[in-house]
Amino acid sequence: MQKSVAEIFQTRRDKRINDFSRKQQEVYSSIPGFSQLERDMNLARASKDEETLVRLVKEREQALTSAGFPNDYLESQFFCTVCEDTGNLEDGSECVCMKRARYQAAAKLSNMEKLCGENFESWDFSVMPEGDQRDGSKKLYSICEEYAECIPCGKLRNLVIVGGTGLGKSYALHAIGNRVLERGVSVRLINAPRFFAAEMERIRGGQDENAALYNVELLLIDDLGAEPANSSVAADSLFALFDHRTCEGRFTCAASNLSPGEIAQRYGARITSRLMDASCSKVLSLSGKDLRLTSRR
Ligand SMILES: [Zn+2]
């Protein structure tokens, strides 16, 4: 089970306290009089006796180093020195370490942990041949970025990207996912064969791996249509998923090698009407040659 961000911060604080107690015991048992020295220091500090305090601080350092300890052995070792592992800054805003922890936790849950490099910032138009295909890539970029920017408030709920293999559909999905994750919105990525394999598992009484897909704010489905075609389970499960998500106003972005007509034929009107309803959906058709065959790299 994955740790929550709060648990990660609690673990860091607990570790620091445990480490400190262990080191303190170690020092107390190897330097006689050390605990008395610290008590005297506290007294000097409380009575604002600077002169004595300075002398005792030096004595304490000497005691540590002559016993073979580093002189900062009993200093707190924070994971993050900026917020001292509280996750918050003095002005009440979040520390960058907290933002990073949140992003990492969300990326792990989203199945996108290893895909953080596939983002809008690294989107490279030059891998596409000049002309229609590069223009198509630019259009794809701008539509996808606008879609991602408007989640979770935008009117455009569904984006369906269709076209042959190697035109950058999966990359586009990952770029959308990463942009949305950065803003702290929940995302899940799944490919259609995996979705249907998990459905079969659930029907056989196994784990319901797909349960998390119903309420996630943004669902990314790659390779729609790559699952076995002859399954009525497939259509029923997909309908249940899209129907629920439509009612809840969630966002779904799918990529498919099938044409819009083939999608309609394969999944039927009830699914198509939810995924591709013109009032809240956009279908983007890409044309061109397989990037993996034409790429110069
Ligand atoms: Zn911090």
Side-chain angles (χ1 to χ4, degrees):
M1 189 66 194
Q2 193 187 343
K3 277 190 178 175
S4 71
V5 173
E7 282 167 338
I8 291 169
F9 276 77
Q10 190 58 51
T11 308
R12 283 177 192 168
R13 287 191 289 268
D14 292 347
K15 183 179 180 302
R16 183 166 49 79
I17 291 165
N18 289 337
D19 284 354
F20 177 77
S21 315
R22 183 179 47 74
K23 287 173 170 178
Q24 197 181 38
Q25 283 311 312
E26 199 184 347
V27 170
Y28 283 5
S29 60
S30 45
I31 308 176
F34 195 87
S35 60
Q36 185 59 49
L37 190 61
E38 290 203 315
R39 278 196 294 274
D40 292 346
M41 268 175 61
N42 287 338
L43 283 174
R45 196 174 285 127
S47 59
K48 298 199 163 59
D49 181 354
E50 283 301 318
E51 206 176 309
T52 310
L53 185 61
V54 170
R55 180 174 55 79
L56 290 174
V57 167
K58 270 193 191 138
E59 254 180 62
R60 181 176 173 275
E61 267 190 31
Q62 262 167 8
L64 279 172
T65 48
S66 41
F69 295 106
N71 62 7
D72 63 350
Y73 194 61
L74 295 179
E75 300 300 320
S76 285
Q77 303 292 323
F78 293 107
F79 182 86
C80 173
T81 51
V82 178
C83 67
E84 302 195 337
D85 297 346
T86 60
N88 296 304
L89 303 177
E90 271 176 17
D91 66 1
S93 64
E94 266 190 356
C95 181
V96 67
C97 74
M98 173 65 96
K99 287 184 184 143
R100 197 175 300 134
R102 255 189 227 295
Y103 174 78
Q104 282 166 348
K108 195 165 188 177
L109 267 183
S110 71
N111 300 327
M112 296 204 22
E113 201 179 16
K114 296 194 175 73
L115 298 167
C116 60
E118 299 199 4
N119 50 44
F120 288 109
E121 291 71 21
S122 310
W123 191 304
D124 185 1
F125 301 114
S126 74
V127 300
M128 291 291 178
E130 271 182 68
D132 287 354
Q133 206 156 329
R134 192 171 295 179
D135 294 345
S137 179
K138 286 176 182 168
K139 193 178 163 203
L140 178 65
Y141 177 102
S142 67
I143 288 173
C144 289
E145 192 181 37
E146 197 185 334
Y147 175 67
E149 283 299 320
C150 294
I151 295 172
C153 303
K155 285 199 181 75
L156 182 61
R157 303 283 165 159
N158 306 318
L159 180 62
V160 181
I161 308 168
V162 300
T165 46
L167 296 174
K169 299 191 300 295
S170 297
Y171 190 102
L173 242 56
H174 303 160
I176 292 170
N178 278 313
R179 177 62 62 84
V180 171
L181 272 178
E182 277 165 19
R183 293 213 311 277
V185 177
S186 61
V187 177
R188 293 262 177 167
L189 167 71
I190 194 159
N191 67 37
R194 174 84 215 147
F195 171 78
F196 292 111
E199 268 318 278
M200 295 309 292
E201 180 62 27
R202 179 184 65 79
I203 288 162
R204 282 196 294 266
Q207 218 188 335
D208 187 2
E209 212 182 281
N210 290 336
L213 306 180
Y214 280 73
N215 286 311
V216 69
E217 196 64 62
L218 171 64
L219 175 64
L220 303 167
I221 304 183
D222 204 356
D223 274 335
L224 189 64
E227 72 286 350
N230 52 3
S231 162
S232 68
V233 172
D236 288 345
S237 313
L238 207 58
F239 173 71
L241 178 65
F242 288 159
D243 190 50
H244 179 88
R245 294 184 59 78
T246 305
C247 291
E248 296 293 319
R250 305 293 186 200
F251 293 75
T252 304
C253 179
S256 179
N257 288 353
L258 303 177
S259 69
E262 286 167 335
I263 291 176
Q265 197 175 20
R266 177 158 182 158
Y267 298 107
R270 55 182 194 154
I271 289 181
T272 315
S273 68
R274 277 158 186 79
L275 187 62
M276 302 197 285
D277 170 19
S279 70
C280 61
S281 313
K282 188 177 240 140
V283 179
L284 189 59
S285 294
L286 300 173
S287 55
K289 294 196 196 82
D290 187 342
L291 169 63
R292 280 167 288 193
L293 300 177
T294 57
S295 174
R296 282 173 275 140
R297 290 175 205 174

